[in-house]
Amino acid sequence: MKHIVILGDGMADEPIEALGGLTPLQAADTPYMDKLAALGRNGRLKTVPDGFHPGSEVANMAVLGYNMPKVYEGRGVLEAASIGVELQPGDLAMRCNLICVEGEILKNHSAGHISTEESDELIKFLNQELGSEQVVFYTGVSYRNLLVIKGGDKRLDCTPPHDVPLRPFRPLLIKPEAPEANDTAELLNNLILKSQEILKDHPVNQRRIALGKDPANSIWPWSPGYRPAMETMQQMYGFEKGAVISAVDLIRGIGVYAGLEVLTVEGATGLYDTNYEGKAEAALQALKTNDFVYLHVEASDEAGHEGDVDLKIKTIEYLDKRAIKPIFETLQTWDEPVAIAVLPDHPTPCSIRTHTNEPIPFIIYKPGQTPDAVQRYDEYAAKEGYYGELKEDEFMREFLKD
């Protein structure tokens, strides 16, 4: 049996008064998720281990069954792997967001979802003006870029910018967690403040302002770490070949370390306008030559960060109709059985516009397996499912069990 995970990032939520007390998952029209829930077995999964921040890198690695205390080294190292940056011993890698600051306020974490082309121009400029043998900036995708500090100390207290929209930024500057990290924290904070001086009048930002868009007028480094020591999924679970499909660097980086082939889909954006059909087709093609496929769709998470309930519902419905439907219907015509799992990595409630560590609902559908009594897919129906609440590698081991 082959296996595909379809992950709607941040899809889970909390009851919303404007929806009559429903969550976006409950309010959305999702006939194919509901069909899989009725045909399969359901449960909840604790994706954020105690003591860990509910970041997408933690939650996705946990879905794949990795032991976080053993392997976690932050987002930066995963994004370095995704864009082909080979980290050397002592290299400190950090996610480096391009953000929008208004006065003393961190307006948003994405500079209004700046394009990769604009971001590339700004990152090259930052490298030219602030880079050195010790400090190197690398272009990623959109606002998600990479900063490498050679000889940096990772013992830093860094605030993810998507956690603190509309908050004053200065109290959130990087703080050392050990005396030896003082120099690294001071270097990074100086880079933040200097970036604000040199980015404000850059032509890219002047054009964005003229068009009524948010300028990318500051960097924000966070999630520090060194190269992780991760087993591949083949070593962990015994299958031969796997692939990952995502528009997001950190997921692609997880795929590199997990031993999965990283597939690129034209028009995959990480937003609601992503190429759902293209990703679904790429997943189906990958299943012909791989034993395991991890299809990651970011759009619902970004809608949650924006606090846009209507958009979040739309992204969930798009995932259902434009990705899950064609995958499910096509697989019904195959002779070889394929197991399907549907789940988010973590909730991203619209009310607070950031991640939480609540367990998430999941479906495991395997052709020929006796279903449980759950008839629809949402945060509350899953509580009544066959699997109850799983943790650590229990979900992935159940899913991969033939």
Side-chain angles (χ1 to χ4, degrees):
M1 190 180 294
K2 295 191 173 189
H3 299 80
I4 179 169
V5 172
I6 304 171
L7 190 135
D9 200 298
M11 192 162 54
D13 209 299
E14 297 171 352
I16 295 172
E17 188 175 341
L19 299 178
L22 300 178
T23 69
L25 260 180
Q26 290 176 311
D29 181 26
T30 54
Y32 281 84
M33 292 188 210
D34 293 344
K35 184 190 293 268
L36 285 167
L39 291 173
R41 294 176 176 179
N42 301 262
R44 300 204 307 160
L45 174 63
K46 179 180 171 68
T47 58
V48 182
D50 293 340
F52 279 82
H53 184 83
S56 288
E57 75 285 13
V58 169
N60 278 273
M61 289 172 73
V63 168
L64 294 174
Y66 282 99
N67 183 314
M68 290 295 100
K70 286 186 177 179
V71 304
Y72 181 70
E73 285 287 347
R75 285 197 184 200
V77 297
L78 301 172
E79 302 190 7
S82 171
I83 61 178
V85 175
E86 189 74 26
L87 296 176
Q88 303 303 314
D91 283 358
L92 178 69
M94 303 183 72
R95 160 71 82 81
C96 185
N97 281 43
L98 287 173
I99 67 169
C100 179
V101 170
E102 274 191 357
E104 292 292 304
I105 301 299
L106 195 159
K107 184 179 180 184
N108 65 54
H109 69 287
S110 65
H113 294 292
I114 187 169
S115 72
T116 299
E117 293 73 23
E118 293 170 308
S119 179
D120 183 49
E121 193 173 336
L122 294 177
I123 291 295
K124 287 175 177 171
F125 175 67
L126 288 164
N127 225 12
Q128 174 187 312
E129 298 296 317
L130 302 180
S132 65
E133 286 190 4
Q134 185 187 12
V135 175
V136 188
F137 295 88
Y138 295 92
T139 303
V141 176
S142 181
Y143 62 89
R144 310 175 188 95
N145 300 287
L146 176 70
L147 174 60
V148 174
I149 307 294
K150 296 187 179 300
D153 193 307
K154 76 170 187 176
R155 290 171 290 181
L156 302 168
D157 178 6
C158 304
T159 302
H162 54 260
D163 281 358
V164 287
L166 306 179
R167 296 257 299 273
F169 76 85
R170 287 186 192 275
L172 306 171
L173 288 170
I174 295 166
K175 300 169 185 65
E177 293 182 331
E180 295 83 358
N182 282 337
D183 289 348
T184 303
E186 185 175 344
L187 169 65
L188 290 165
N189 287 329
N190 283 336
L191 289 172
I192 292 171
L193 298 176
K194 286 179 181 176
S195 76
Q196 294 178 6
E197 294 174 16
I198 67 172
L199 287 176
K200 62 182 178 181
D201 295 322
H202 191 279
V204 165
N205 283 326
Q206 293 304 303
R207 289 195 295 270
R208 289 184 64 80
I209 291 169
L211 292 169
K213 298 179 179 180
D214 287 336
N217 55 11
S218 180
I219 63 167
W220 196 265
W222 59 287
S223 200
Y226 309 123
R227 182 186 175 97
M230 284 171 60
E231 285 186 296
T232 66
M233 290 190 71
Q234 290 89 332
Q235 291 169 323
M236 292 167 66
Y237 301 114
F239 62 74
E240 290 186 11
K241 290 183 64 182
V244 61
I245 300 166
S246 177
V248 178
D249 271 353
L250 79 91
I251 306 300
R252 295 161 67 87
I254 291 171
V256 170
Y257 285 121
L260 305 178
E261 181 185 3
V262 179
L263 303 179
T264 300
V265 175
E266 186 176 350
T269 65
L271 298 172
Y272 73 93
D273 62 354
T274 198
N275 183 1
Y276 292 89
E277 292 83 1
K279 294 179 92 168
E281 179 58 29
L284 288 165
Q285 291 301 316
L287 278 170
K288 293 178 180 178
T289 55
N290 288 273
D291 307 297
F292 174 83
V293 174
Y294 195 73
L295 174 58
H296 171 271
V297 180
E298 174 77 359
S300 296
D301 185 59
E302 293 295 341
H305 285 307
E306 293 176 17
D308 191 329
V309 176
D310 291 339
L311 180 60
K312 188 163 188 181
I313 292 172
K314 182 185 290 187
T315 63
I316 292 168
E317 293 179 342
Y318 280 173
L319 179 67
D320 189 79
K321 295 176 179 61
R322 297 170 62 187
I324 296 175
K325 176 183 177 180
I327 289 170
F328 176 77
E329 292 190 340
T330 300
L331 292 181
Q332 301 313 296
T333 69
W334 287 17
D335 293 333
E336 184 170 19
V338 179
I340 303 171
V342 177
L343 73 169
D345 50 348
H346 52 66
T348 307
C350 292
S351 60
I352 58 173
R353 297 175 55 178
T354 191
H355 306 169
T356 67
N357 60 4
E358 280 293 305
I360 53 84
F362 69 82
I363 304 164
I364 292 177
Y365 160 74
K366 296 180 181 180
Q369 186 178 66
T370 303
D372 60 22
V374 175
Q375 294 297 302
R376 59 164 291 124
Y377 177 64
D378 63 55
E379 298 88 346
Y380 295 94
K383 292 182 178 182
E384 307 303 319
Y386 169 87
Y387 291 110
E389 185 174 313
L390 304 184
K391 62 183 187 305
E392 298 169 350
D393 64 353
E394 292 173 343
F395 163 78
M396 192 54 65
R397 293 204 178 276
E398 285 290 335
F399 179 53
L400 295 176
K401 188 190 299 178
D402 284 344

